[in-house]
Amino acid sequence: MSTLEQPAENSAEFAQDTIIEEFGYFGDWTERYQYLIDLGRKLPTFPEALKIEQHKLHGCQSQVWIVPSGTAARLEFQAISDSSIVSGLIALVLRVYSARPAAEIIATEPRFIDAIGLSSHLSLTRTNGLAAMLKAIKDYARSALAQSAA
Amino acid sequence: MSANVRSTRAADFDVQRCRADFPALQRHVHGKPLVYFDNANTAQKPLAVIEAVDGYYRRHNANVSRAVHTLGSEATALYEATRDKLRSFINAPSRDEVIFTRGATESINLVAYSWALPRLQSGDEILLTQMEHHANIVPWQLVCERTGAKIKVVPISQEGELLLDQLDALLTPRVKLLCLTHVSNVLGTVNPIARICAMARARGIPVLVDGSQAAPHLRIDVQALGCDFYAITGHKMFGPTGTGMLWAKRAILDAMPPFMGGGEMIKQVSFEKTVFNDLPYKFEAGTPNIAGVIGLGAAIDYINALGIETIRAIESDLLVYATQQLNTIPGMRIFGTAPGKAAVISFLIEGVHAHDLATILDTDGVAVRSGHHCAHPLMQFFGVAATARASLAFYNTREEVDVFITALLRARAMLL
């Protein structure tokens, strides 16, 4: 997926700061969910052919598929869920972690999740799903680094 | 009260009076009055139950059946009173056949390990149904793995009813036990247990009934049903979590070895040999959930005071109303339309994920469950990954149904 598209923010940390600032404008959780739903709708189309077991993320209540591409220098992720709200969460995660160097991905802690109140608002099962997605992304980054060192 | 309670003003008054008995129903969630439609998951507890648990710890706290002092006698009397209430609640012939467990899951596991495991051989079959909860599937898979026995499954119709002719055909001499739910936790279907037990009995096949979803809604009479095992859980019938019961016929229980060893389940212990206690204590090793069991007794009193027929009538009225209102929503698909079903409505709105629906509903204070409801095989039958489920209780109202419908329409507009 060599889309050559540049991420909206030039670093993972800057992306986190921007997300935290954006969520600060919302009045209530209905607005936050509406925003997440809209973000999910704007995710790039995920090819149906890639919705296979190999790309399925386990540990989520809803179905999530994630496909990595690129090298340790720049790792990209394509992902989608059958849940609109989870797709919105994926959009946030990708904004922070996709199209970044593997080393930056590994070094970035997802502080935006706590900062925008997601961890206290999402049910534990959804928080676990989010943790599973972040673990998968960091695992891909680690193996990409290992491959580039080999 | 008669069956036409649904159209009387008195019923409305009763419901409002009942609601005042449930502290959790007074709550607000996200600034909105709580609409609790997740009763099939666990029911709210009336003050009488909370006070019974509290009162035990404040006044009577002592271990049961072990101490001769006053508190010990009081605690034992309160604890054993629940056994009598349960006996009467399910019309069991004897209190000795009422075994306390942590819930229906433990009850079913007790039968799986103590009754089925020593009896099953390679080539034997355990007959289940397509609509079982995982708690009535997994224990049987575990004993089948160890014995070489196989699981066979009774299919259901699209409406969510058991196909009785297929059930009949599956009741072969290989079947050693038929296990099925009284009421489906997903579809609300009330299975014709008495008729099914008669079919099985004609072939000498014992029947285990999972009554988890039946106990809060229906009159249970194990003798009229003609089953051999009946399992219920306390927390779905307005009692504390971690309480439940297995009932089985005395001859069956006598023939079963203890499931767990420990204190209270013995008569005499030496390092060479232990003589086990009589029923029901043979199956109740260790200090039990005394406070919970006493609370369960209060829950049974509460149900009896209200009357299970009244509960059934109020819930039937709510079910009809909620189903009518849901069917006005475009893209609505309801799973389970069996006649006489319990007030459980599983549904999906086309194009909307069940979890998203439940998440948005929560912001309006409406609690419904979303997911597979511990019934993966049933989800596979309908070809869906998850459904949303509204499950009603007698303390719910038509006004709450209206709030729920308005919230659903708002969620649908957001998500489509």
Side-chain angles (χ1 to χ4, degrees):
Chain A
M1 270 133 280
S2 51
T3 48
L4 291 177
E5 257 182 50
Q6 291 306 306
E9 290 86 15
N10 61 13
S11 78
E13 288 305 329
F14 183 47
Q16 297 211 73
D17 289 338
T18 314
I19 291 168
I20 293 164
E21 196 185 333
E22 281 172 9
F23 270 78
Y25 296 127
F26 295 119
D28 60 17
W29 273 97
T30 297
E31 289 179 9
R32 288 184 176 93
Y33 282 129
Q34 188 65 66
Y35 184 60
L36 283 174
I37 293 162
D38 293 342
L39 285 178
R41 286 197 183 111
K42 287 181 201 148
L43 272 180
T45 310
F46 191 93
E48 284 298 315
L50 292 179
K51 288 185 179 176
I52 53 174
E53 185 60 30
Q54 182 198 337
H55 298 141
K56 208 164 166 178
L57 191 59
H58 292 278
C60 300
Q61 271 207 325
S62 52
Q63 303 190 78
V64 173
W65 296 268
I66 183 162
V67 182
S69 61
T71 61
R74 190 175 188 273
L75 265 185
E76 280 190 44
F77 297 95
Q78 254 190 312
I80 197 81
S81 170
D82 56 347
S83 150
S84 306
I85 293 173
V86 173
S87 289
L89 294 173
I90 288 171
L92 293 181
V93 169
L94 296 192
R95 194 163 148 195
V96 174
Y97 287 97
S98 188
R100 310 280 180 211
E104 186 180 1
I105 291 170
I106 294 164
T108 302
E109 289 309 314
R111 59 190 166 83
F112 74 98
I113 294 169
D114 272 341
I116 64 179
L118 270 177
S119 46
S120 60
H121 205 268
L122 292 178
S123 66
L124 182 65
T125 41
R126 277 222 162 128
T127 312
N128 288 345
L130 202 52
M133 180 158 45
L134 290 164
K135 183 179 181 298
I137 285 173
K138 292 203 174 193
D139 285 349
Y140 282 128
R142 282 191 197 96
S143 63
L145 264 189
Q147 273 178 16
S148 71
Chain B
M1 283 193 201
S2 62
N4 62 7
V5 67
R6 66 187 66 173
S7 57
T8 64
R9 286 277 168 201
D12 294 343
F13 174 75
D14 279 349
V15 168
Q16 289 307 325
R17 184 177 57 78
C18 286
R19 288 184 67 81
D21 293 335
F22 291 81
L25 296 180
Q26 319 307 320
R27 265 201 69 166
H28 283 61
V29 170
H30 301 298
K32 317 267 172 58
L34 169 67
V35 173
Y36 190 76
F37 280 3
D38 197 16
N39 294 287
N41 206 346
T42 196
Q44 296 302 340
K45 320 304 176 198
L47 210 48
V49 168
I50 297 164
E51 285 172 350
V53 172
D54 181 80
Y56 161 71
Y57 282 124
R58 283 179 191 277
R59 283 184 53 77
H60 312 292
N61 180 50
N63 211 332
V64 289
S65 313
R66 288 169 173 84
V68 295
H69 56 70
T70 301
L71 267 60
S73 313
E74 289 172 358
T76 303
L78 288 166
Y79 177 81
E80 289 297 331
T82 299
R83 203 185 303 274
D84 293 316
K85 290 171 188 177
L86 273 172
R87 187 213 63 75
S88 161
F89 189 75
I90 62 165
N91 193 33
S94 163
R95 72 188 310 277
D96 298 343
E97 299 168 346
V98 173
I99 315 293
F100 287 130
T101 63
R102 286 183 298 141
T105 298
E106 185 179 306
S107 302
I108 294 168
N109 274 279
L110 167 54
V111 179
Y113 284 95
S114 182
W115 186 86
L117 189 59
R119 280 172 179 74
L120 289 179
Q121 294 180 341
S122 180
D124 288 345
E125 291 172 5
I126 299 278
L127 190 55
L128 308 177
T129 84
Q130 187 77 42
M131 66 172 81
E132 295 313 310
H133 188 283
H134 293 164
N136 204 18
I137 300 174
V138 181
W140 306 116
Q141 285 174 333
L142 292 172
V143 294
C144 283
E145 270 172 26
R146 286 168 63 169
T147 57
K150 283 196 172 62
I151 285 171
K152 288 288 171 78
V153 181
V154 181
I156 60 170
S157 68
Q158 282 297 322
E159 291 73 34
E161 291 187 276
L162 290 175
L163 299 175
L164 293 185
D165 51 341
Q166 304 231 23
L167 169 65
D168 190 65
L170 283 162
L171 284 171
T172 67
R174 289 187 297 278
V175 176
K176 292 296 173 285
L177 183 66
L178 165 62
C179 306
L180 80 167
T181 190
H182 197 162
V183 175
S184 163
N185 69 315
V186 177
L187 307 168
T189 310
V190 180
N191 287 318
I193 297 296
R195 192 172 156 197
I196 290 168
C197 287
M199 291 161 70
R201 196 163 52 244
R203 294 166 172 85
I205 298 168
V207 180
L208 177 143
V209 180
D210 174 2
S212 301
Q213 298 291 343
H217 306 292
L218 303 179
R219 180 163 300 287
I220 297 164
D221 182 334
V222 291
Q223 297 184 71
L225 290 174
C227 58
D228 299 272
F229 302 94
Y230 200 94
I232 62 178
T233 195
H235 73 97
K236 293 185 200 292
M237 53 187 290
F238 317 101
T241 55
T243 62
M245 175 213 78
L246 172 73
W247 170 82
K249 290 174 177 168
R250 179 189 295 272
I252 294 174
L253 291 171
D254 277 335
M256 282 163 60
F259 181 33
M260 287 188 285
E264 194 53 36
M265 50 77 72
I266 46 79
K267 266 185 178 162
Q268 202 178 1
V269 176
S270 70
F271 282 108
E272 288 71 38
K273 184 173 171 54
T274 291
V275 180
F276 298 120
N277 206 336
D278 298 324
L279 289 174
Y281 308 104
K282 181 170 90 172
F283 295 107
E284 296 179 0
T287 297
N289 181 0
I290 303 168
V293 166
I294 292 170
L296 178 58
I300 294 168
D301 289 342
Y302 192 92
I303 292 172
N304 287 341
L306 202 57
I308 199 87
E309 276 75 21
T310 304
I311 289 172
R312 181 86 166 125
I314 292 169
E315 291 175 352
S316 297
D317 174 62
L318 281 171
L319 172 68
V320 169
Y321 182 66
T323 305
Q324 278 170 358
Q325 296 304 108
L326 282 169
N327 278 326
T328 64
I329 295 176
M332 174 61 57
R333 180 181 174 195
I334 291 176
F335 299 84
T337 51
K341 68 180 260 193
V344 172
I345 313 172
S346 281
F347 64 95
L348 278 177
I349 295 176
E350 200 183 343
V352 177
H353 198 285
H355 288 317
D356 292 340
L357 212 51
T359 304
I360 304 297
L361 288 182
D362 182 62
T363 64
D364 276 329
V366 179
V368 298
R369 183 160 175 195
S370 60
H372 51 66
H373 317 291
C374 301
H376 279 155
L378 190 54
M379 297 291 114
Q380 284 153 16
F381 172 78
F382 284 111
V384 295
T387 71
R389 181 187 70 185
S391 51
L392 312 174
F394 57 81
Y395 47 58
N396 292 126
T397 66
R398 284 183 173 226
E399 291 70 30
E400 287 185 307
V401 172
D402 293 340
V403 172
F404 165 58
I405 298 294
T406 306
L408 269 180
L409 287 169
R410 192 177 74 93
R412 181 179 181 275
M414 280 175 75
L415 289 159
L416 276 183

